[in-house]
């Protein structure tokens, strides 16, 4: 376990000192600051706009972080052969996968927690600037719940990064596959609903149904973690729903890491 | 630590042409505890493949490799091993100290032993002044020396150096030579790959010449000295470039085969 923590700490340290991370955080902070101005532009439901903009900014920063910092942290090991140094230590391949994953997750957690704190401050400032009437539906609980759901989504998305890094030696392909998985995961539910309703009265082929059925079991349903709209309307989801999503995220992550470890154990580091 | 290769073969399949490339062929080799063993050979001779198999990065196609009777695939085997890769590249934003701490922790060193060992090695490798600096600011020679610190911080018994002199200035090379001799005094087993024949000649107890995946020749120190004393160049100079001549003859005979 110590070896896993040592690698995750190394990965985290390398990531936290990356200038790209600083750039992402600065962009996110500017965007969060901008919400002070933008919220005022809307004449009604300011609470809704505020929550929506803040959560979207945090999600955007998390995606940039995952796609450009975390994928780079994984790919650099292979591209620049730093993996030789790491694996020359008494680390098993499974420990390598787990250590790297924990490092990436720690980085996402710390960066997004920092943005959450900042975002909460912005919300408190904006709330103090306008009358309470504009924030009828606003709920801190819903805001934090939506943030927590986003974090669960990032746990899976970073496991996807690890999975594709164990398969491919090219950082570009890892980026491409991860983005494709994210887009598929965000849209699969809508596509499923469309096919089930046979929308617009069109007949859909059995093959399409079959493909969508398989895809919904393979790809993670990321849209289930996106409750920004609900949170902005002050609607919170019951604890059972949260527990179910925690379970879903946990199982998906474990499965991805398991397969990543299996593939990586067979891989030759040339 | 005793290292043994028995009838080891390794081939790769080219990803484009699907052609089989034999990297190591029927390798039988035994390296004894406390020995400095040098491996030389032209590019593509199979030296790096041999080291990668020894570190468990790749698996042999057939035959067996053992380090003190254990398989290199087992992570525990590597607790007592230190490795310096050819042209090492480390994490840009970490310092030499960060890297060494990681190395020491993963090797299971006691907490109280880590800092003294780091201090000692950084001083020895003349990196004391740059211990907190990010590795991306290091020169090639400094990176090489940081790599040596990383490989040695946990005081391993088996040390694998792949081109340790690459990128070092004369002062750096002297530091490494002194270090290798000191490690030999301590009874460490060292496997040393280099293109610099002088270093091999100066430091190694035994050396092997590899070419096209095959082990062509092994020579011990006595054979080296004896050959050197007998060797006279066309210009009438005695001893000089003997190893170079042996190397060329061995590799050339391979070409003619």
């Amino acid at each position: 376990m110590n070896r896993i923590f040592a690698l995750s700490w190394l990965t985290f340290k390398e990531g936290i000192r990356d200038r790209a991370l600083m750039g992402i955080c600065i962009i996110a902070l500017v965007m969060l600051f901008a919400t002070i101005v933008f919220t005022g532009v809307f004449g009604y439901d300011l609470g809704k706009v505020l929550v929506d903009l803040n959560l979207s900014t945090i999600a955007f920063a998390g995606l940039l972080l995952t796609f450009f910092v975390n994928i780079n942290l994984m790919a650099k090991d292979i591209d620049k052969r730093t993996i030789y140094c790491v694996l020359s230590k008494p680390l098993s391949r499974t420990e390598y996968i787990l250590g790297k994953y924990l490092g990436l997750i720690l980085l996402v957690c710390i960066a997004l927690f920092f943005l959450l704190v900042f975002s909460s401050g912005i919300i408190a400032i904006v709330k103090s600037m306008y009358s309470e009437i504009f924030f009828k539906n606003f709920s801190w609980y819903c805001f934090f719940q939506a943030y927590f759901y986003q974090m669960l989504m990032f746990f899976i998305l970073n496991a996807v990064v690890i999975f594709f890094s164990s398969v491919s030696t090219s950082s570009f392909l890892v980026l491409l596959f991860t983005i494709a998985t994210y887009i598929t995961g965000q849209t699969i539910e809508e596509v499923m609903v469309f096919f089930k309703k046979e929308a617009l009265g069109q007949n859909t082929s059995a093959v399409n149904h079959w493909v969508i059925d398989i895809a919904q079991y393979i790809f993670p349903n990321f849209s289930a973690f996106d409750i920004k709209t609900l949170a902005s309307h002050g609607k919170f989801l019951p604890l059972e729903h949260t527990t179910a999503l925690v379970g879903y995220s946990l199982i998906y992550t474990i499965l991805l890491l398991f397969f990543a470890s299996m593939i990586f154990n067979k891989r030759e580091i040339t | 630590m005793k290292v043994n290769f028995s009838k080891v073969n390794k081939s790769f399949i080219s990803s484009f042409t699907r052609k089989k490339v034999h990297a190591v062929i029927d390798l039988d080799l035994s390296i004894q505890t406390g020995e400095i063993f040098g491996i030389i050979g032209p590019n593509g001779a199979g030296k790096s493949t041999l080291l990668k198999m020894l570190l468990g990065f790749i698996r042999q196609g057939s035959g067996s490799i053992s380090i003190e009777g254990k398989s290199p695939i087992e992570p525990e085997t590597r607790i007592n091993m230190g490795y310096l890769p050819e042209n090492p590249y480390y994490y840009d934003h970490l310092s030499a100290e960060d890297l060494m701490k990681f190395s020491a922790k993963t090797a299971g060193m006691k907490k109280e032993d880590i800092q003294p060992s780091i201090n000692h090695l950084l001083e020895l490798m003349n990196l004391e002044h740059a211990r907190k600096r990010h590795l991306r600011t290091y020169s090639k020679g400094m990176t090489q020396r940081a790599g040596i610190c990383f490989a040695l911080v946990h005081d391993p018994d088996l040390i694998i150096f792949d081109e340790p002199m690459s990128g070092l200035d004369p002062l750096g090379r002297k530091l490494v030579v002194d270090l290798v001799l000191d490690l030999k005094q301590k009874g460490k087993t060292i496997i040393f790959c280099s293109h610099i024949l002088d270093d091999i000649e100066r430091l190694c107890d035994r050396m092997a010449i590899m070419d096209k995946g095959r082990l062509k020749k092994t020579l011990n120190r006595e054979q080296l000295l004896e050959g050197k004393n007998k060797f006279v160049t066309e210009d009438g100079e005695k001893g000089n470039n003997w190893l170079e001549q042996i190397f060329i003859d061995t590799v050339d005979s391979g070409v003619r085969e």
Side-chain angles (χ1 to χ4, degrees):
Chain A
M1 210 57 185
N2 275 346
R3 294 195 283 248
I4 296 175
F5 288 138
L7 181 59
S8 57
W9 184 241
L10 194 83
T11 308
F12 170 73
K13 261 184 149 176
E14 173 72 357
I16 205 85
R17 292 172 183 172
D18 195 327
R19 280 182 193 165
L21 175 70
M22 207 183 290
I24 291 167
C25 283
I26 290 170
I27 290 172
L29 290 178
V30 170
M31 284 168 74
L32 287 175
F33 256 122
T35 59
I36 300 178
V37 181
F38 281 120
T39 309
V41 174
F42 293 83
Y44 59 97
D45 257 349
L46 298 191
K48 179 184 169 300
V49 175
L50 194 61
V51 170
D52 220 359
L53 285 176
N54 274 268
L55 286 172
S56 298
T57 304
I58 294 173
F60 179 63
L63 287 176
L64 287 182
L65 178 62
T66 303
F67 291 148
F68 298 107
V69 178
N70 285 1
I71 287 182
N72 189 36
L73 279 174
M74 277 308 290
K76 218 158 52 174
D77 266 12
I78 303 284
D79 284 349
K80 301 205 167 162
R81 312 221 167 142
T82 26
I83 197 163
Y84 287 161
C85 308
V86 178
L87 289 183
S88 70
K89 299 290 132 196
L91 276 160
S92 70
R93 304 276 177 104
T94 305
E95 284 173 328
Y96 174 81
I97 290 286
L98 293 177
K100 277 280 171 185
Y101 177 71
L102 286 181
L104 302 187
I105 284 301
L106 187 62
L107 191 62
V108 172
C109 286
I110 300 280
L112 296 196
F113 181 73
F114 166 70
L115 291 181
L116 176 75
V117 170
F118 199 81
S119 165
S120 304
I122 297 274
I123 290 175
I125 292 170
V126 176
K127 272 189 82 191
S128 69
M129 286 163 62
Y130 300 95
S131 158
E132 274 294 314
I133 304 164
F134 293 112
F135 300 94
K136 266 190 304 189
N137 294 327
F138 178 81
S139 151
W140 281 110
Y141 178 80
C142 293
F143 175 70
F144 291 130
Q145 191 184 39
Y147 168 81
F148 178 66
Y149 274 42
Q150 278 185 0
M151 290 308 296
L152 292 178
M153 192 274 284
F154 283 119
F155 286 177
I156 301 180
L157 193 62
N158 278 278
V160 171
V161 170
I162 297 279
F163 174 76
F164 285 125
S165 302
S166 75
V167 178
S168 171
T169 49
S170 152
S171 54
F172 176 69
L173 285 181
V174 175
L175 177 68
L176 210 65
F177 291 149
T178 309
I179 291 177
T181 306
Y182 176 72
I183 293 170
T184 313
Q186 279 289 358
T187 52
I188 191 93
E189 199 175 281
E190 273 179 51
V191 177
M192 245 170 58
V193 171
F194 174 81
F195 269 88
K196 281 193 178 153
K197 284 183 180 168
E198 290 188 336
L200 308 171
Q202 287 173 354
N203 286 328
T204 47
S205 79
V207 177
N208 285 348
H209 275 280
W210 186 69
V211 169
I212 290 295
D213 269 347
I214 291 177
Q216 68 165 316
Y217 288 112
I218 294 177
F219 290 98
N221 181 5
F222 286 137
S223 62
F225 296 91
D226 185 2
I227 57 163
K228 284 196 289 288
T229 315
L230 285 176
S232 61
H233 285 99
K235 288 179 182 156
F236 66 86
L237 290 165
L239 195 64
E240 298 85 66
H241 188 270
T242 311
T243 316
L245 270 195
V246 169
Y248 178 79
S249 153
L250 212 64
I251 290 169
Y252 218 100
T253 303
I254 290 170
L255 277 176
L256 279 169
L257 295 179
F258 172 74
F259 287 124
S261 159
M262 234 170 63
I263 295 165
F264 200 61
N265 266 302
K266 298 245 178 279
R267 185 162 156 184
E268 299 212 304
I269 315 292
T270 51
Chain B
M1 282 181 107
K2 195 178 168 185
V3 178
N4 205 56
F5 291 86
S6 172
K7 291 263 169 280
V8 173
N9 283 282
K10 178 70 193 171
S11 50
F12 296 102
I13 304 222
S14 140
S15 55
F16 186 65
T17 58
R18 311 302 297 165
K19 205 179 149 193
K20 208 172 188 179
V21 180
H22 297 281
V24 172
I25 304 162
D26 284 335
L27 180 77
D28 274 309
L29 180 67
S30 190
I31 299 163
Q32 303 304 316
T33 306
E35 193 173 34
I36 304 185
F37 191 86
I39 305 171
I40 54 175
N43 296 329
K47 306 184 297 291
S48 292
T49 306
L50 185 147
L51 297 187
K52 282 176 193 167
M53 287 192 286
L54 197 55
L55 286 148
F57 297 161
I58 54 177
R59 291 167 179 84
Q60 68 272 22
S62 63
S64 68
I65 304 171
S66 71
I67 301 164
E68 279 297 302
K70 293 183 207 154
S71 161
I73 299 297
E74 299 302 320
E76 283 70 31
T77 313
R78 294 193 291 274
I79 289 177
N80 247 331
M81 286 167 74
Y83 172 56
L84 171 76
E86 186 181 3
N87 302 322
Y89 188 91
Y90 300 104
Y91 297 100
D92 284 342
H93 305 287
L94 298 182
S95 64
E97 198 169 0
D98 291 330
L99 212 60
M100 290 169 81
K101 274 184 186 159
F102 166 74
S103 179
K105 279 182 195 164
T106 48
M109 264 180 96
K110 284 184 194 158
K111 217 172 181 179
E112 61 269 24
D113 296 338
I114 295 177
Q115 204 56 49
S117 176
I118 290 175
N119 295 344
H120 169 69
L121 270 168
L122 286 175
E123 202 175 320
L124 200 68
M125 286 287 105
N126 205 11
L127 284 172
E128 181 63 34
H129 62 287
R131 64 190 299 154
K132 300 273 182 206
R133 257 168 61 185
H134 288 186
L135 288 160
R136 72 194 153 103
T137 65
Y138 277 27
S139 67
K140 192 166 186 261
M142 284 169 83
T143 308
Q144 190 81 357
R145 281 181 280 142
I148 292 171
C149 293
F150 177 74
L152 299 180
V153 67
H154 57 298
D155 194 24
D157 288 328
L158 173 63
I159 299 147
I160 300 167
F161 282 154
D162 197 354
E163 300 287 350
M165 307 295 190
S166 155
L168 293 180
D169 57 23
L171 201 67
R173 284 178 65 173
K174 190 187 175 314
L175 278 176
V176 175
V177 168
D178 290 347
L179 179 78
V180 169
L181 293 173
D182 186 45
L183 290 168
K184 183 177 165 52
Q185 287 275 310
K186 290 178 182 163
K188 310 286 184 190
T189 311
I190 302 169
I191 300 175
F192 195 104
C193 264
S194 182
H195 285 297
I196 304 168
L197 302 180
D198 275 354
D199 292 332
I200 294 279
E201 194 179 328
R202 187 158 41 145
L203 295 169
C204 296
D205 298 316
R206 228 154 40 100
M207 52 151 286
I209 302 175
M210 281 189 80
D211 184 35
K212 297 190 186 73
R214 289 184 194 276
L215 180 65
K216 293 282 179 157
K217 190 173 262 183
T218 52
L219 293 163
N220 60 30
R221 181 148 278 281
E222 286 72 40
Q223 287 169 314
L224 266 171
L225 289 173
E226 197 185 332
K228 195 173 177 178
N229 288 336
K230 284 182 186 169
F231 181 71
V232 181
T233 62
E234 286 170 0
D235 306 334
E237 279 184 60
K238 209 177 168 186
N240 284 350
N241 303 328
W242 181 74
L243 188 55
E244 189 179 285
Q245 196 55 52
I246 285 283
F247 177 76
I248 292 167
D249 288 347
T250 308
V251 173
D252 268 355
S253 70
V255 173
R256 283 193 295 271
E257 265 172 17

